[in-house]
Amino acid sequence: MSTSIASTSDLQHQQERIFAALDGFRIEVPSWGFANTGTRFGKFVQAGAATSIAEKFADAGEVNRLTGAAPTVALHVLWDLPNGTADVETIRGLEAEYGVKAGSINPNLFQSQEYKFGSIANPDAGVRKAALDHLLESVEIGKALGSRDVSLWIADGSNYPGSQSIRRRIEWMEEVLKATHDAMNETQRMLVEYKPFEPAFYHTDIADWGMALHLARVAGPRAKVLVDTGHHYQGTNIEQIVAWLLHTESLGGFHFNDRKYADDDLTLGSIDPYQLFRIFHEIVSTPGETTDNIAYMIDQSHNLKGKMEAMVQSVVTAQELFARAALVDQEALTALQDECRLVEAEELFRSAFWTDVRPMLRAWRKARSLPVEPLQELRTSGYVERISAERGARNQASGGSYA
Amino acid sequence: MSTSIASTSDLQHQQERIFAALDGFRIEVPSWGFANTGTRFGKFVQAGAATSIAEKFADAGEVNRLTGAAPTVALHVLWDLPNGTADVETIRGLEAEYGVKAGSINPNLFQSQEYKFGSIANPDAGVRKAALDHLLESVEIGKALGSRDVSLWIADGSNYPGSQSIRRRIEWMEEVLKATHDAMNETQRMLVEYKPFEPAFYHTDIADWGMALHLARVAGPRAKVLVDTGHHYQGTNIEQIVAWLLHTESLGGFHFNDRKYADDDLTLGSIDPYQLFRIFHEIVSTPGETTDNIAYMIDQSHNLKGKMEAMVQSVVTAQELFARAALVDQEALTALQDECRLVEAEELFRSAFWTDVRPMLRAWRKARSLPVEPLQELRTSGYVERISAERGARNQASGGSYA
Amino acid sequence: MSTSIASTSDLQHQQERIFAALDGFRIEVPSWGFANTGTRFGKFVQAGAATSIAEKFADAGEVNRLTGAAPTVALHVLWDLPNGTADVETIRGLEAEYGVKAGSINPNLFQSQEYKFGSIANPDAGVRKAALDHLLESVEIGKALGSRDVSLWIADGSNYPGSQSIRRRIEWMEEVLKATHDAMNETQRMLVEYKPFEPAFYHTDIADWGMALHLARVAGPRAKVLVDTGHHYQGTNIEQIVAWLLHTESLGGFHFNDRKYADDDLTLGSIDPYQLFRIFHEIVSTPGETTDNIAYMIDQSHNLKGKMEAMVQSVVTAQELFARAALVDQEALTALQDECRLVEAEELFRSAFWTDVRPMLRAWRKARSLPVEPLQELRTSGYVERISAERGARNQASGGSYA
Amino acid sequence: MSTSIASTSDLQHQQERIFAALDGFRIEVPSWGFANTGTRFGKFVQAGAATSIAEKFADAGEVNRLTGAAPTVALHVLWDLPNGTADVETIRGLEAEYGVKAGSINPNLFQSQEYKFGSIANPDAGVRKAALDHLLESVEIGKALGSRDVSLWIADGSNYPGSQSIRRRIEWMEEVLKATHDAMNETQRMLVEYKPFEPAFYHTDIADWGMALHLARVAGPRAKVLVDTGHHYQGTNIEQIVAWLLHTESLGGFHFNDRKYADDDLTLGSIDPYQLFRIFHEIVSTPGETTDNIAYMIDQSHNLKGKMEAMVQSVVTAQELFARAALVDQEALTALQDECRLVEAEELFRSAFWTDVRPMLRAWRKARSLPVEPLQELRTSGYVERISAERGARNQASGGSYA
């Protein structure tokens, strides 16, 4: 197709688009992505894994230094601010020291023994109160840090038919989320995540985007839906859900990762890169949509890949796929779609996917005084060797197993 | 467990519950379930398949005679009322002749060549207008027949990424459904069905219950969601969706069938009977819920089983599973759920499933002057042999194949 | 159907079948099923969970006392015999003390840090040698304990396309399994388990029954395939795989559990009881098949249900579903299948499923001097309260979490 | 990474590899891909669809003229040679006239009414005999045409548990396939295809590669397995199956297509292009493997896309993805895999996927005197307009629908 024969002026035009896209693209890294994690069958301990919030900020700062696209780090209240708002000053110091800001605030309602039968959907009013208290503290942390998003993943559910009332638990969740929303200030948002299964296996209380959207609306106007790309049934058209959330003005953000079957938490774009391209395309093709309202976040679990390597690779892959999506000529595409010229529309669309944008990313990095090859720079920098030496002993001491 | 050792008074109590449940249970049969259908690879023609709307009513009447639970027949506008409202008188005559009433009115927006690229979501305004006209005629048919539900299955979608705009098609659907709702009278309802794929394979415009619910709300207050049990991704907790639809007062009804993998349209309860029990349980366990608002309908495709046999078998299976669900002691279950006594709650719940209700169904049929063994009665009645002789030649003439 | 109206002599006949079936039915419990386990997001610690091999034997003995159907306990080499064959005497003592025998021997090739990139399929010959050594020790343990089956679950695989060579790893596995088979004596068997994903997410080296069968054949004549019911893609017809393994004389046994989506390790029959009925039916309908060659084993993870309760419930459910499968009249079914009388064949088949066998199980238990209601007996016995008091402090000390 | 910064000599090297890969790449088009097909809900008739075997050859010839990579056309015995071997002379004439050869011979055992309950697995010996006769005739056609492969898709199965004996049907299939193999000459091969469901929904007699491999081995040494990429459960690692078939020397060929959920028969590479890249890579990375033994065939159903456009697009996409797979540096990849340098191995691997090979394909086409832009050439050639005018009336007369 003629669209694939790029003339010089086309190339110029492509470069402008890509530079503009990359200048506006930011993706948040999770503090827990630098710590040791694993599967239920055990975890493979990495010598360089972060063992403290300071080390997590150090690692996040390095990822941002290498990529220029990861200026914030998602915080997990239980693990990163165990003393709640009392830890805010520490975080502020780390922000200053490592040049990355605190991003979304992530409460934890799944780990404590009291949440065995649920947190905000627990039949026990006392447990629900404890959960609400933790959410309210998370809101206060967000205020203190000037962080916009409180990001809720509710792991509640049940494992066996009949063992819990699906219906009554909905009402309990509505109450708690409404109370949480009431406590937020005008600049804060609540993001409601959904997931079809795991760790609950028969029913998960917030299982799909329809349930998350309902709860967000009941909670209040600044509650939005969070899409974790790994939290869908096989075959689900995720970009369609994104289109509906954009249409209903309720898309809050993403937890990006990839998977082959379930919530595998692999590096984004590693299994089905075309899907992530299509997701980005839904956003860039929505008129008037700025990505300012959409929180792009990484949520992955790197059990085998090196923590730092995997994170840099993820940021770079996200940039590449976002740049490809930005290349689609929306006007031409709309015209072909309206005339139902299917093959031509498809070829125009995926011609952008097939364009090798890597040279332009290198050009952009050079123009922005960033390392031209972030992964290579990471390897030659000796950073991983250094943190492995520093943290090795501490990591050796941990190291989990199944039994 | 003690719940499974039924004393005489328990049995008395069980019988009362089951009789009450069965007296209130009605399920609608589809007119197209009596005609020859198949897969895309061909259809296996049955000599006794209905070849006219009169024969469909005759068959539906026979199913109702045998079961006492199928007093209405769903009509398909294109196939059953090809002349639109002009055919209403014919239908009235058939109602009188065969003792079954017209049930839901089903427009057809997938068969005509003009719908190749969609009907109510087609980029061409002219095609959308044609689709709306057909919907409005269906509304008029509903009024003329005194039928409550206009039941919409929208097959629209696309087969290839990029070939259509998912987002813009949403707006077009909203317009058409709103206009259709405006035309209904106060006693009519619109049921919006969803389906994840087939016949569109990349994206189906109304893919899940969240999309159907949004469209129903945009359309108007008498638009509700229709759940086809075969229209879900593998692993979906369908009873949970039912619970949410009940919670949001937007459950309109069901198309029942079963499946092993995709939309296989097998007889209900044939693959996973426990799932259908759980779906019924969500309804009977909702306080104040009457099944009057919920349209129970069969939607299956019997390519191998005898048409009449399959339909009678389906009605009987639905009755049995509904009766089992009615046996669950709600008060006791709620108490166990609230205390998180999981195994006891589960055992109480499934003890109802394991109860062999067939003797009580026979008792109920006897008490209601119905054939005690409907399938056996069908076989000994000679009905299938009679219609096979009458219709055989006409069916021989048809008989489809793939190419 | 007439098949469902049981006359007195029918009932007599049913009882005989069921008693015979139950007398021959044995199911093995896993030692790890009594210890605390969880999901990757944490585990909910139970006060009464077993904290030593002695406690596991005690619990297994109690399950057998309550059910009379669980005379063996599967051992996990790494956790139960950390000193290898040196621990055999300890096991012998426990067998004598608690009245249950050691069952299958389960090597562990997934937990040690050296297996990060695989065990028997690791590109490093040294790691493969270590894995083989562990397998050979497991074989010796089996000999020493007089245990028939060494049961292999190989967790090897990779997480990312291109990161490992699928093809070359096959050859490495063949070598190790052949060497292991060579070390077995004539009374030992090797069971090769398969699993499509988790903990490896892109490719699992032994992903399906076809791969397991190939490896078993390469290993030697006493290697058979082990079917874990949770280790299949959604929609897989597991009973068909069982039929093929029976046909090729390569079915070694089962790890039973149930699931809604992935390898959820729920109690067997809790999500889809009809499926387990069909699996049992494939076995009981195979002429000349005795269940002596087929190892029935439970492999579940009870994170929320009480450990003891869940295990007793599982054994009882397995008995009930096996008894139902034994009720199918094979001769009559074959005749209907041969004449393709589909609905009649199906009704005959599932009439057995719908038969409430619980009264007959109680009768059988009474006749065999077993507790008539095992779950109730467990509750009234005070066993769980006793072990909770004894083991509580030790369990408090553990208690895992994600980070 | 350095692998992505191509120097001039790198580019030279890449071009050599790609030219060699493309020179050796052939893909077969199916005769039925030019005729009208649809879904079970109807088909959208195309004016230019082929209505005779001559028109199918004409279209196939045009696809080959445009691409230079599709020199053979798969024939469907029932539709293309309704008179069996008597039609061979006609085919020979068409081969000469249109410059494309007859490819694989495809018997049809699913369309005739007698196959309602199965063909080679039917309980009725008479039906099995009829199926065998059709297979034997197909073998004779293959001999007469000098065609290597008889390609078997067996649609047999059942829709309901208990309605057929899975086990006994295996034996019947073994008999028929062995007899068919016996009739082949030394240059012929039998390809055994598998499919998990559709048109049978409960069990399909040849459901996965393990079953197909068993049957191929029972049939004889020249029976191989045929992989249809759309015939797998969601999440299946297809390239792993390909690796195992290569390892066991039993890979016969492919039916290529793509899908989002089930057997959607979309154009190859349209939904998950990375997967097809990985499949090709398994083949090109196997030492000593020539593609001569592997039949690459397209099997798609173009209901919405233009028939000719879709076929040309498919051939071109296959070439592009095959060329990308050929770019992977096997030696370097093996070294990284052996050292478990996961991220580097993955980046090397997918760097080939991200390389924009389209300019090199244009260069290759120019060097081989082929149209540089096949799709564009198709549009400007007026071919579709011409056949639409010629065949329009005939196609108007057909046009299927659901009822």
Side-chain angles (χ1 to χ4, degrees), chain C residues 174 202 204 239-240 247, chain D residues 174 202 204 208 239-240 247:
Chain C
E174 289 175 343
Y202 164 62
T204 298
E239 58 268 29
Q240 182 178 13
H247 177 76
Chain D
E174 289 174 342
Y202 164 62
T204 298
D208 63 27
E239 58 269 30
Q240 183 178 13
H247 177 75

Side-chain angles (χ1 to χ4, degrees), chain A residues 64-385:
Chain A
N64 192 43
R65 186 188 74 78
L66 292 165
T67 63
T72 58
V73 54
L75 298 181
H76 190 281
V77 175
L78 192 64
W79 305 328
D80 298 333
L81 298 101
N83 308 303
T85 48
D87 285 328
V88 162
E89 275 316 299
T90 309
I91 301 294
R92 283 223 178 99
L94 295 170
E95 287 180 334
E97 185 171 355
Y98 295 105
V100 284
K101 290 273 179 194
S104 64
I105 305 302
N106 293 259
N108 179 309
L109 297 173
F110 58 88
Q111 190 174 307
S112 168
Q113 298 293 315
E114 71 189 319
Y115 298 139
K116 180 170 181 174
F117 304 116
S119 62
I120 68 172
N122 195 305
D124 183 327
V127 177
R128 296 200 298 275
K129 176 68 169 53
L132 175 58
D133 288 346
H134 184 69
L135 291 175
L136 295 176
E137 180 168 49
S138 301
V139 168
E140 293 313 309
I141 291 170
K143 286 177 189 167
L145 283 169
S147 169
R148 183 186 58 185
D149 295 331
V150 177
S151 185
L152 304 186
W153 173 52
I154 304 299
D156 290 27
S158 70
N159 275 354
Y160 294 97
S163 66
Q164 284 291 289
S165 165
I166 296 171
R167 187 177 37 77
R168 288 189 297 137
R169 293 168 69 105
I170 299 172
E171 292 163 27
W172 295 326
M173 292 193 290
E174 289 175 342
E175 283 175 31
V176 175
L177 294 184
K178 204 175 166 333
T180 305
H181 193 281
D182 286 349
M184 297 196 307
N185 67 29
E186 289 297 313
T187 63
Q188 286 185 295
R189 304 194 310 173
M190 171 194 293
L191 305 185
V192 183
E193 192 168 352
Y194 57 92
K195 186 175 187 181
F197 82 102
E198 196 211 22
F201 295 119
Y202 164 62
H203 109 275
T204 297
D205 284 294
I206 311 178
D208 63 27
W209 75 275
M211 300 176 196
L213 178 57
H214 171 88
L215 289 173
R217 286 185 170 161
V218 167
R222 291 187 314 286
K224 304 288 176 184
V225 175
L226 177 66
V227 177
D228 183 306
T229 48
H231 293 189
H232 299 86
Y233 296 108
Q234 288 273 317
T236 303
N237 187 321
I238 301 175
E239 58 269 29
Q240 182 178 13
I241 291 173
V242 170
W244 279 79
L245 289 172
L246 286 166
H247 176 76
T248 55
E249 299 184 347
S250 47
L251 177 63
F254 291 91
H255 272 181
F256 285 123
N257 50 64
D258 211 338
R259 57 88 180 258
K260 183 93 181 68
Y261 196 82
D263 185 32
D264 306 337
D265 276 336
L266 303 178
T267 49
L268 57 82
S270 63
I271 301 296
D272 187 356
Y274 193 30
Q275 178 181 260
L276 186 48
F277 166 84
R278 298 193 304 259
I279 289 171
F280 281 139
H281 181 262
E282 283 304 322
I283 294 165
V284 300
S285 68
T286 299
E289 185 59 50
T290 69
T291 57
D292 287 348
N293 297 318
I294 303 169
Y296 294 131
M297 300 180 278
I298 290 171
D299 187 12
Q300 299 170 172
S301 177
H302 309 127
N303 195 23
L304 302 183
K305 282 184 178 176
K307 303 280 173 198
M308 287 297 297
E309 244 184 320
M311 203 65 86
V312 171
Q313 191 191 27
S314 298
V315 174
V316 169
T317 303
Q319 289 176 306
E320 290 178 5
L321 288 165
F322 190 78
R324 284 184 173 90
L327 282 182
V328 176
D329 181 335
Q330 294 303 325
E331 208 173 325
L333 183 64
T334 296
L336 292 169
Q337 289 174 338
D338 277 353
E339 297 177 39
C340 295
R341 291 160 66 184
L342 308 185
V343 173
E344 287 161 278
E346 183 193 24
E347 288 292 329
L348 174 71
F349 180 74
R350 70 180 187 176
S351 180
F353 179 71
W354 289 127
T355 302
D356 193 345
V357 297
R358 293 174 298 176
M360 293 197 201
L361 262 90
R362 286 191 286 267
W364 174 79
R365 291 195 194 101
K366 201 169 176 185
R368 299 295 176 266
S369 305
L370 292 163
V372 170
E373 293 280 357
L375 263 178
Q376 215 164 355
E377 169 76 10
L378 173 66
R379 282 195 203 103
T380 55
S381 72
Y383 183 83
V384 174
E385 289 74 8

Side-chain angles (χ1 to χ4, degrees), chain B residues 24 42 48 66 68 94 96 103 107 149 163 170 180 189 230 314 371 385 402:
Chain B
L66 292 166
L94 295 170
D149 295 331
S163 65
I170 299 172
T180 305
R189 304 194 310 174
S314 298
E385 289 74 8
Y402 183 52

